[in-house]
Amino acid sequence: MEKSFSESYKQAGVDVTAGYQSVELMKEAVKSTYSKDVISDLGGFGGLYALHTENIKEPILVSGTDGVGTKLKLAFLMNKHDTIGQDCVAMCVNDIICCGAKPLFFLDYMALGKNIPEVVATIVKGVAKGCKMAGCSLVGGETAEMPGFYQQGEYDLAGFSVGVVEKEKMIDSKNIEVGDQVIGIVSSGVHSNGFSLVRKVFHINEKTVQEYQEELGATLGETLLTPTKIYVKPILELLQNVQVKGISHITGGGFYENMPRMLREGVSLKIQKDSYPILPIFKLIQKQGNIPKRDMYNTFNMGIGMAVIIKKEETKKAIQILEQQGEKAYVIGEVTEGNKEVKIV
């Protein structure tokens, strides 16, 4: 570590020794995510993972990548960085579980103006926490110090995950029938999309994030920084016990963009907007911004983070399973004839 040091590079704004300090501070948290299939150590050029397929006839690898978006702006303003990592993991693993794939491993990428080891370690510890919640291993990552590109105190965070599913067990919408029901699993809040609109509505700054909101029972900043829920384990439990015909992660684009992605040709969805309690934060956003209802459902998750399609006879059992997993779930709609459209009534 002492030999790898450049005074010239440090004067240009990049301190390589800060990177080493970050790794030391995060090492224990990262290793806590390792399964027996991780065969590399922290600090190598690549993360090594042994893929065991003895119990899988035709393994299909499913990958997903995403970032946290402008929700990071709130983390900067509040100097709170311990939950952002979970957001990053959630945005990736919640996508690949929609195919029925169990996440195996995760990698993160962080770019920042100045490497402050304690902040970097805090962020990565949040990533590790998210990985443990998803049952996957954090096998590697990258921290890029980029002075002049990012302002000091700001950073971007993105991730990448790979999962595996048996080919014949992939969720592919082919078995969806008219009359099947849609179960919505509640979200923890705004999750990690739509924050450009949120910041505009609330004129987000150091003062507004600290304002206590009676409707929320918390400050605006605390509510908005609530981490994205990770649905992997509840969905895997559901897949083991009922026939799941379609799964949709409700992210950017809300109901109208994401729900059609789990449908086959010839069917649509009718969603009852009063079938579940809408979280107070969405009512406040709509009221404060005077936003039309369609735009709300076309931007935010509106309190439903994941939607699954189940045949009517199994919906009661499915909801019981989800509740046993600590989730709140409601029947929020049904499959109708149509052309992959969503109608909210």
Side-chain angles (χ1 to χ4, degrees):
M1 188 181 300
E2 291 179 355
K3 291 181 179 179
S4 182
F5 173 76
S6 169
E7 182 63 35
S8 299
Y9 207 9
K10 185 176 181 180
Q11 289 177 5
V14 179
D15 184 358
V16 294
T17 61
Y20 304 141
Q21 294 172 31
S22 299
V23 171
E24 287 300 315
L25 291 172
M26 71 177 70
K27 184 179 294 184
E28 184 177 342
V30 172
K31 288 190 173 183
S32 72
T33 70
Y34 286 5
S35 68
K36 58 180 175 51
D37 300 313
V38 178
I39 57 176
S40 58
D41 201 357
L42 194 64
F45 284 104
L48 306 181
Y49 189 94
L51 181 62
H52 297 290
T53 59
E54 294 87 349
N55 299 318
I56 306 178
K57 296 177 183 178
E58 293 185 82
I60 302 296
L61 294 179
V62 182
S63 59
T65 185
D66 208 340
V68 181
T70 62
K71 184 175 185 176
L72 292 172
K73 287 283 190 180
L74 278 85
F76 305 156
L77 286 170
M78 298 176 67
N79 194 27
K80 180 173 169 56
H81 311 282
D82 58 334
T83 59
I84 289 297
Q86 179 178 324
D87 286 301
C88 188
V89 175
M91 296 303 287
C92 298
V93 298
N94 285 346
D95 276 357
I96 66 176
I97 195 64
C98 290
C99 298
K102 180 186 184 301
L104 298 174
F105 58 84
F106 186 87
L107 295 94
D108 61 30
Y109 174 81
M110 191 187 321
L112 35 70
K114 181 175 177 58
N115 188 333
I116 301 173
E118 292 77 13
V119 173
V120 171
T122 297
I123 296 167
V124 176
K125 286 176 181 177
V127 174
K129 179 181 179 181
C131 286
K132 293 173 79 171
M133 294 171 71
C136 65
S137 300
L138 178 55
V139 298
E142 172 69 12
T143 302
E145 192 171 13
M146 301 168 63
F149 197 90
Y150 292 94
Q151 294 184 33
Q152 186 169 329
E154 297 194 353
Y155 55 84
D156 197 6
L157 179 66
F160 170 84
S161 187
V162 172
V164 65
V165 62
E166 176 75 70
K167 185 177 182 180
E168 65 178 20
K169 294 182 178 179
M170 285 179 59
I171 308 300
D172 57 10
S173 78
K174 64 183 179 183
N175 295 316
I176 294 176
E177 299 175 332
V178 172
D180 288 339
Q181 294 195 317
V182 182
I183 295 177
I185 312 174
V186 302
S187 69
S188 57
V190 183
H191 282 184
S192 297
N193 65 274
F195 272 86
S196 293
L197 179 54
V198 168
R199 290 187 301 113
K200 178 178 182 292
V201 165
F202 293 114
H203 307 287
I204 292 294
N205 55 45
E206 291 182 353
K207 180 181 178 181
T208 55
V209 294
Q210 301 296 337
E211 291 177 353
Y212 184 85
Q213 301 285 340
E214 290 289 344
E215 302 98 314
L216 306 177
T219 66
L220 183 62
E222 287 170 339
T223 301
L224 292 173
L225 266 190
T226 301
T228 307
K229 189 175 284 189
I230 292 176
Y231 296 95
V232 171
K233 291 182 179 179
I235 294 294
L236 288 175
E237 189 68 23
L238 207 58
L239 291 169
Q240 291 290 323
N241 292 280
V242 298
Q243 182 187 9
V244 178
K245 299 185 177 186
I247 308 176
S248 177
H249 181 202
I250 312 301
T251 56
F255 283 41
Y256 289 110
E257 182 176 324
N258 291 289
M259 286 191 176
R261 296 165 68 180
M262 65 174 167
L263 300 177
R264 63 170 176 81
E265 295 292 338
V267 297
S268 290
L269 295 178
K270 182 170 71 173
I271 303 296
Q272 299 283 346
K273 64 176 180 293
D274 60 351
S275 56
Y276 69 94
I278 295 177
L279 297 176
I281 183 61
F282 296 108
K283 295 179 181 179
L284 186 60
I285 291 171
Q286 184 176 7
K287 176 184 176 183
Q288 185 86 6
N290 193 27
I291 300 172
K293 284 186 178 180
R294 182 180 174 85
D295 286 359
M296 291 294 295
Y297 282 92
N298 208 159
T299 306
F300 302 107
N301 66 61
M302 298 302 289
I304 298 295
M306 293 285 276
V308 296
I309 295 177
I310 307 281
K311 64 181 179 180
K312 189 174 183 178
E313 294 78 10
E314 288 195 306
T315 52
K316 185 176 180 180
K317 180 181 179 181
I319 289 176
Q320 288 177 339
I321 291 168
L322 290 167
E323 289 177 345
Q324 289 169 359
Q325 294 293 308
E327 302 294 338
K328 290 182 180 179
Y330 303 88
V331 176
I332 63 170
E334 64 178 351
V335 178
T336 61
E337 292 183 353
N339 188 29
K340 300 179 71 172
E341 297 174 335
V342 175
K343 185 177 182 180
I344 299 175
V345 298

